[in-house]
Amino acid sequence: VYLLALPCLAQVSGRITGSVVDAQGAAVPGASVRLFIAGGSSEIVTTTTSVSGNYVFSNLPARTYDLTVEMSGFRKQVIRSLKVDPGLE
C-alpha cells in the first residue's frame, strides 16, 4: 500500500498545508502528520488529517522543516526541507 503526502506551502502567512492521499488518489483521514525542525529528532508540532485528508500547521516561524506522515497499513513518508519564509510570496 502506498501513501502520498502532497505539501503546499503558504509562505506569506507562515504555515504549511497539504493533503494526504493513497495511490488511487483517495483522501486518507486520520493520518498522523508530524513537523520537525530540519534535521531534528524531536517533533515540534503534530496534527491529524481531516476527513478530506488535509492538514495545516499555522503560525510557523521562518525556517526549514521536515515533515512525516504515518498511518496504519501504509509506509511512513518523510518530506525534508520544507522552507517557510514569510518574506517570499
Side-chain angles (χ1 to χ4, degrees):
V1 179
Y2 179 74
L3 180 69
L4 175 65
L6 304 171
C8 175
L9 302 179
Q11 297 171 335
V12 170
S13 63
R15 64 183 169 159
I16 295 173
T17 65
S19 299
V20 179
V21 297
D22 65 15
Q24 288 73 40
V28 179
S32 175
V33 185
R34 302 181 333 163
L35 195 64
F36 302 79
I37 294 174
S41 60
S42 298
E43 70 186 52
I44 57 168
V45 66
T46 187
T47 192
T48 303
T49 56
S50 67
V51 173
S52 56
N54 298 321
Y55 63 87
V56 178
F57 294 108
S58 298
N59 301 317
L60 296 173
R63 62 176 11 146
T64 304
Y65 298 92
D66 295 336
L67 181 140
T68 65
V69 180
E70 295 182 89
M71 180 70 177
S72 179
F74 294 92
R75 251 182 305 157
K76 176 180 177 179
Q77 296 294 304
V78 179
I79 301 172
R80 299 202 185 278
S81 300
L82 296 172
K83 188 172 185 178
V84 173
D85 184 350
L88 298 177
E89 171 70 32

